[in-house]
Amino acid sequence: MPGRDLKNALGILVCMVVFFIILGPCNLKQFSKYLSPVPPDDKFILVKDTISQIESARHLQVSAYLDERKGVRVVRIITMFYRQGPHNLLCIFKCKSGHLLISQVVTEQHSDNFGFPFVTADIFCKMSHGCMATHVCLRTQEFLLNNLSVIPIQNLRPHNDGFERDLTVCISNLFGDYNNVLQFIQTMEVYKILGIGRVVIYNTSSSHMLEKVLQYYVNEGTLEVIPWPISHFLNPSFGWRFEEHGGDIHYFGQLTTLNDCIYRNMYKSRFLLLNDIDEIIAPYQHTNLKLMMDELEKEQPDTGVFIVENHIYPVNVFDDSERFNLSLWRQVPGINIMEHIHREPDRKDVINPTKLIINPRKVEQTSVHSVLKSFGNQYRVPFDVCRIVHVRVPLQGHLSKEELIVDTKLWEYHKELVPRVNNVIRESGILN
């Protein structure tokens, strides 16, 4: 009878949980057991939100991915992990065979936490070949079987069909009712000219006008917007350093979103660009990024991480000609990147910040400016081959305009860019 089966299942799991508690974490390495019969389907709750809380813990789970790159069948669950614990988690797989697989976990906190209480962490659950689960659930050892909130396991399909696109940009997050609309449109259109097939953005909060622009690009097929409601769960920091900015986690969970974007697009895109929305990774010797990466990949076949220098174009220094001070553009809030062509020079004894172009299949963990764990080599792309055009507040505000370097790289795209931007402004309805 269903009721008796459920009671039996509950009893078995209680015994197993007690078994775990008695053994302790030192003896969990070899533990993996099946539980049968499986509770009824109404005991399983499919989590559809991007962020969800692990029951009976402060940890937040984001996504789960099958990862077989090291020759072992494991599921990597990306989390925002409360560093103080609890650490005694179990994995529960719902197998196609009609069993539950209760598995040990290995938790690996990323090395960059910047002092915040929550850190990006990977939770590894070993899944046997006999299980073939499509969903997984995390629980503490003390938590008894009740309603099981499961998240889907992604990257399950065979990966021999080729890539959907060559280049994808991962934008970590939009927050603070983001309203830099003009620069957003200009950046999207420059990236399309440079051969980007998709931009992925994690959105916490943006203005009503920008929401219209986001929807325009979603409908066009060039943008994927991932809801990122982190403020419902944590007090996210507006800065990168806990001692200075406070909060629960670095920059609205920036590191978590970047790592999720890597796994989300691991078998969809040949390369990923990891940068912010106010940065454009621009090729200086090639007409587009695809041609540049074709050549770099040929020259550096064992490289999985390409490091690109960031260069600042001060937002308070304008082009004297006013060539691109267009009347339509003046009606849209935000920075007009075509007016800022003066680049700050390199500083003696100061290393320029960097962002990344990666082969996602060769990366395990990333930070903002560098990769934390990878399988291949890393290569610093020469300044004259590629650099980041970053229009923002100056870092060397004491310099006069004459001491800055004129760099009109973005002007090379103006014949395509201007009509494209005009069209988006009109078609998206932001001025209606």
Side-chain angles (χ1 to χ4, degrees), residues 270-425:
R270 182 172 156 226
F271 291 105
L272 299 180
L273 287 68
L274 309 182
N275 58 274
D276 294 336
I277 190 58
D278 59 353
E279 300 169 331
I280 295 175
I281 298 180
Y284 275 70
Q285 293 184 8
H286 304 79
T287 55
N288 59 54
L289 286 166
K290 181 184 182 303
L291 292 175
M292 184 188 80
M293 292 311 300
D294 286 344
E295 186 169 320
L296 288 175
E297 188 177 39
K298 185 180 297 184
E299 294 173 353
Q300 307 289 330
D302 298 321
T303 296
V305 179
F306 298 87
I307 303 167
V308 184
E309 282 190 6
N310 191 317
H311 290 267
I312 305 302
Y313 297 68
V315 72
N316 59 343
V317 180
F318 291 81
D319 163 48
D320 291 330
S321 73
E322 296 190 351
R323 178 182 177 185
F324 295 103
N325 184 14
L326 307 180
S327 59
L328 180 63
W329 292 7
R330 288 198 299 271
Q331 300 177 56
V332 182
I335 297 167
N336 180 355
I337 60 175
M338 299 292 278
E339 293 187 302
H340 305 287
I341 58 171
H342 296 81
R343 188 180 78 241
E344 291 185 350
D346 290 340
R347 292 165 288 176
K348 186 179 180 180
D349 301 323
V350 176
I351 299 175
N352 290 322
T354 58
K355 291 296 172 68
L356 307 169
I357 303 175
I358 66 167
N359 173 344
R361 293 156 302 284
K362 292 186 177 182
V363 173
E364 280 195 87
Q365 297 175 356
T366 193
S367 187
V368 179
H369 304 289
S370 62
V371 162
L372 302 178
K373 295 182 70 175
S374 62
F375 299 107
N377 297 329
Q378 300 189 23
Y379 176 71
R380 194 177 186 96
V381 182
F383 166 82
D384 61 335
V385 174
C386 182
R387 72 190 74 141
I388 297 174
V389 177
H390 190 182
V391 180
R392 53 153 288 168
V393 295
L395 293 181
Q396 302 177 64
H398 62 282
L399 296 178
S400 67
K401 190 172 185 176
E402 291 68 32
E403 292 175 291
L404 301 175
I405 302 165
V406 175
D407 182 347
T408 58
K409 178 62 184 178
L410 296 185
W411 284 12
E412 295 178 14
Y413 312 125
H414 79 277
K415 288 184 179 179
E416 285 187 82
L417 182 63
V418 172
R420 283 170 177 249
V421 172
N422 292 345
N423 182 67
V424 175
I425 293 172

Side-chain angles (χ1 to χ4, degrees), residues 70-243:
K70 292 184 176 180
V72 181
R73 189 176 175 80
V74 298
V75 171
R76 180 190 298 259
I77 302 176
I78 297 175
T79 67
M80 288 175 277
F81 197 87
Y82 185 54
R83 291 163 60 197
Q84 295 185 13
H87 302 277
N88 55 338
L89 296 175
L90 298 176
C91 242
I92 304 176
F93 293 103
K94 184 181 180 183
C95 307
K96 286 185 177 180
S97 61
H99 298 80
L100 288 185
L101 175 65
I102 314 296
S103 176
Q104 67 188 44
V105 308
V106 174
T107 302
E108 189 172 303
Q109 298 184 30
H110 291 206
S111 56
D112 278 2
N113 59 54
F114 303 105
F116 288 95
F118 284 80
V119 61
T120 301
D122 297 319
I123 295 180
F124 297 95
C125 307
K126 188 174 181 180
M127 182 169 65
S128 69
H129 287 277
C131 180
M132 301 301 293
T134 57
H135 293 79
V136 66
C137 174
L138 285 172
R139 285 290 183 271
T140 59
Q141 292 179 15
E142 295 82 6
F143 190 78
L144 303 183
L145 184 63
N146 195 356
N147 291 333
L148 295 174
S149 299
V150 296
I151 59 175
I153 302 171
Q154 302 179 61
N155 294 347
L156 288 172
R157 292 188 304 135
H159 314 301
N160 51 10
D161 298 332
F163 303 115
E164 296 177 13
R165 48 193 175 268
D166 280 299
L167 298 162
T168 300
V169 179
C170 293
I171 304 297
S172 52
N173 4 36
L174 302 179
F175 57 85
D177 292 325
Y178 190 85
N179 195 41
N180 191 354
V181 180
L182 181 59
Q183 184 173 6
F184 183 93
I185 296 172
Q186 291 173 330
T187 300
M188 287 289 296
E189 294 305 320
V190 169
Y191 270 136
K192 286 162 61 178
I193 292 170
L194 292 177
I196 296 297
R198 177 72 59 87
V199 176
V200 180
I201 286 182
Y202 292 74
N203 186 18
T204 297
S205 66
S206 50
S207 71
H208 178 67
M209 182 179 286
L210 188 65
E211 289 286 347
K212 287 186 175 182
V213 174
L214 296 179
Q215 190 58 53
Y216 172 88
Y217 283 114
V218 169
N219 293 341
E220 185 184 66
T222 54
L223 179 66
E224 179 181 2
V225 178
I226 311 296
W228 191 247
I230 190 171
S231 302
H232 297 171
F233 301 91
L234 300 176
N235 174 28
S237 177
F238 282 82
W240 70 274
R241 190 166 172 264
F242 177 71
E243 290 79 3

